[in-house]
Amino acid sequence: VSGGAAHCYVHLPFCASRCGYCAFVVETGGPDRRDAYLRALLAEIDMRAGDLGALRTVYLGGGTPSLMGPRRIARLLERLGPHIVPGAEVSMEANPESVDAAALAAYRAAGVTRLSLGAQSFGERTLAVLGRRATPAQVRAAVAGAREAGFASVSVDLLFGVPGQTPAELEADLAAVTALGVNHVSWYELELKPGAALTLAGDELPGEDAAADAYERVVEGLEAAGHRWYETANFARPGHECRHSLAYWSAADYLGVGVGAVSTLRGERRRNAAGVDRYIAHLAAGRPPAYSVESLDDETRRRERWMLGLRLDRPLDLGWAGPPDHPDALRRLEAGGLLRRAGARVALTRRGRFLQNAVLQELMEYA
Ligand SMILES: C[S@@+](CC[C@H](N)C(=O)[O-])C[C@H]1O[C@@H](n2cnc3c(N)ncnc32)[C@H](O)[C@@H]1O
Ligand code: SF4
């Protein structure tokens, strides 16, 4: 074993503006910094070549990777190319308003196989609450363009639990996304970290019951359209599950490059610092970016395996994950119809999946 990762994440932080709910490592402004950022990324990739194994998945995430443009994305994938195995999944996130048919074709030609488009909603009111730039028509055009360009998988991101979102509006989003006929959907519950601009506007989040109802409708609606609920917030037609995300949820090693990127390799978690200018300055001077390292002991890994493993719709192997903190809770949860056991394998029931956080709290102690 070379010890290098089979999965690589690349962070592309630039956005046209910061959405009021976003807590990712994002920088607005500075289109002039994109070339310098690309140079820094290439330098970091060269520096960490020893950590790159035969790559089965690559994920270009953001930020808004599509703001880098096809020429820079092609150069990035050229540099990673010698490490990428044939048949690898190469995903890229894109904001619909920043791609046209020509750009999509160029991303495909550069080696991107899977496109993930941020729609968030098809309702004007919800889009306005979120402060989104793309119109529903632009989302539809981007999906059509992606299909035309020949991406193997096309995914759309949506949000539920948006302040003021009514059940009727949610149904309209379900109808709109199923009409698109994409083969993958990520549908997250909106999470507002303290200090997010959206909270400061004084908007009210829906109550727990309303959010639970919305979640159930999302799952039912997408299943009825032929998607499998393969992870807490992810749905796919058979064969279109995101293999890169599956690697995360299976606690596999991965290398992350770019500002704010995280790597998990050989029992260590390494976090690059935020701040594009500092990242560029370090790499331009031939130094690694500023980062912190945490060593992952067996206890931490066991807790992570439980937290990640229960998100998937396949059983968790106790031999792999290790015992839960409260083994006695397994019987109680099984009697309560939230969990099933077969030998050394544990699986959540459908009801258990909807109550995943509560189940996890019964089984594990998280600080
Ligand atoms: C890394 S973001 C970048 C995607 C792209 N820039 C966009 O905004 O469409 C990927 C996805 O995370 C989700 N997301 C972002 N902020 C979130 C939040 N506060 N709560 C829940 N999901 C969020 C959105 O669905 C978004 O499409
Ligand atoms: S476009 Fe996406 S990454 Fe950028 S600020 Fe908005 S949600 Fe965050």
Side-chain angles (χ1 to χ4, degrees), residues 326-340:
H326 303 296
D328 47 307
L330 287 173
R331 199 165 11 94
R332 204 168 56 243
L333 291 163
E334 193 174 22
L338 297 175
L339 176 149
R340 266 189 308 267

Side-chain angles (χ1 to χ4, degrees), residues 33-121:
R33 286 185 299 172
R34 286 172 213 167
D35 284 319
Y37 186 71
L38 174 69
R39 274 196 298 279
L41 269 181
L42 299 181
E44 194 189 8
I45 289 169
D46 290 346
M47 241 173 229
R48 302 198 71 185
D51 290 332
L52 282 170
L55 292 176
R56 293 200 299 269
T57 71
V58 173
Y59 196 100
L60 312 183
T64 306
S66 45
L67 279 187
M68 291 297 279
R71 189 180 53 81
R72 295 189 192 88
I73 295 294
R75 288 195 54 203
L76 175 61
L77 291 178
E78 262 165 41
R79 190 63 60 102
L80 286 172
H83 303 279
I84 300 178
V85 304
E89 173 190 277
V90 179
S91 298
M92 184 178 110
E93 291 177 351
N95 287 34
E97 74 281 9
S98 65
V99 289
D100 57 19
L104 289 169
Y107 290 127
R108 178 68 199 94
V112 177
T113 66
R114 180 177 180 278
L115 195 75
S116 172
L117 291 161
Q120 321 311 344
S121 173

